[in-house]
Amino acid sequence: MLKYSNDTLVALWNDFRNGSSTAFSSIIKWYYKDLFRYGCKFTQDEHLVKDCIQNVFLSLWKNHATIGETEHVKFYLLTCLRRDIAKELKKGKTEISYDNFSSESFFDLGLNAENRLVDREKSVELAKKIKETLKSLSKRQQEIIYLRFYMNADADKIAEIMEINHQSVYNLLHDALKKLKTVSEKFIICLMFLLTISGL
């Protein structure tokens, strides 16, 4: 798949708003995996996630002429999907309370980096501690870590996606990183490093 710059993605978004089905198809292909991974953090029902993604894109196409501009297409889509999943879960009397939010992706992200920094025996033990610490974070903290370091969202976009105020974002992120730092300061460095070079 081609790697689009943010400017190209914004241009595709504007073409889609003007009725280009080709641009719309490119947006779907580019963001589908990110949306699916994020959606699966809230429910193990993959069919529900796929249906919600489809609903998001159908709604976007139906209303393309009235949709506004955005400089951050991915975060616009994540916000739409989060709301749609919350709506569907409420229909089944299941609140989006983060009960199904998994920390496995964070564990994989950190462990891969940590393996480059410590020898094998220490890495296994450290990985267990990191995983346990991630699981001990509140579900909101887990989501913020995911959005910040995996989706590369800044505080403004996290607040928008999660529908919380900026101070809550800063507080939750600070407390989460503080807990992780007690396990391994190198792990925090890895997260920061990956944020700048990985393009995730």
Side-chain angles (χ1 to χ4, degrees):
M1 183 182 291
L2 294 174
K3 186 171 183 178
Y4 297 122
S5 68
N6 189 64
D7 287 344
T8 300
L9 290 165
V10 170
L12 284 172
W13 180 261
N14 290 329
D15 288 344
F16 143 68
R17 291 171 57 236
N18 290 324
S20 170
S21 59
T22 301
F24 187 55
S25 178
S26 295
I27 289 170
I28 293 173
K29 290 177 181 177
W30 184 252
Y31 288 116
Y32 190 90
K33 287 183 179 179
D34 279 343
L35 292 171
F36 182 73
R37 282 193 292 262
Y38 183 58
C40 286
K41 300 301 176 184
F42 298 104
T43 174
Q44 296 177 353
D45 188 342
E46 294 185 358
H47 293 294
L48 184 146
V49 174
K50 290 177 180 178
D51 286 345
C52 287
I53 293 173
Q54 183 176 11
N55 290 340
V56 167
F57 283 122
L58 285 174
S59 177
L60 288 173
W61 182 251
K62 181 179 179 181
N63 299 291
H64 70 269
T66 58
I67 289 174
E69 297 180 2
T70 180
E71 294 296 317
H72 304 280
V73 179
K74 176 168 66 176
F75 304 131
Y76 183 99
L77 295 175
L78 291 177
T79 302
C80 292
L81 179 61
R82 193 178 191 280
R83 289 173 180 168
D84 203 75
I85 289 175
K87 182 177 67 176
E88 291 302 315
L89 291 177
K90 284 179 181 178
K91 286 181 181 178
K93 297 182 180 180
T94 303
E95 295 292 332
I96 191 166
S97 60
Y98 304 89
D99 289 338
N100 297 311
F101 208 104
S102 167
S103 63
E104 290 301 311
S105 57
F106 316 145
F107 171 68
D108 291 340
L109 181 64
L111 177 58
N112 289 339
E114 196 72 41
N115 276 337
R116 304 188 196 112
L117 298 175
V118 296
D119 40 62
R120 194 174 187 83
E121 311 84 59
K122 292 180 180 178
S123 177
V124 173
E125 184 61 31
L126 183 58
K128 288 174 63 177
K129 290 180 180 179
I130 291 171
K131 188 173 183 179
E132 290 170 1
T133 304
L134 286 167
K135 284 185 176 181
S136 75
L137 300 178
S138 73
K139 300 307 179 181
R140 282 183 178 270
Q141 288 174 329
Q142 289 183 29
E143 185 177 7
I144 282 179
I145 292 290
Y146 185 84
L147 290 171
R148 183 72 185 97
F149 295 105
Y150 190 79
M151 291 297 186
N152 203 12
D154 62 19
D156 289 342
K157 293 305 169 186
I158 292 172
E160 182 179 331
I161 292 167
M162 295 181 65
E163 298 181 319
I164 58 178
N165 62 49
H166 289 78
Q167 191 58 50
S168 293
V169 172
Y170 290 121
N171 291 345
L172 288 165
L173 183 58
H174 176 269
D175 290 345
L177 293 178
K178 186 176 180 180
K179 284 186 179 180
L180 290 170
K181 190 174 180 180
T182 64
V183 179
S184 172
E185 190 164 356
K186 287 182 180 179
F187 180 67
I188 301 298
I189 294 171
C190 288
L191 286 177
M192 299 297 186
F193 181 67
L194 287 170
L195 179 64
T196 60
I197 69 166
S198 65
L200 292 175

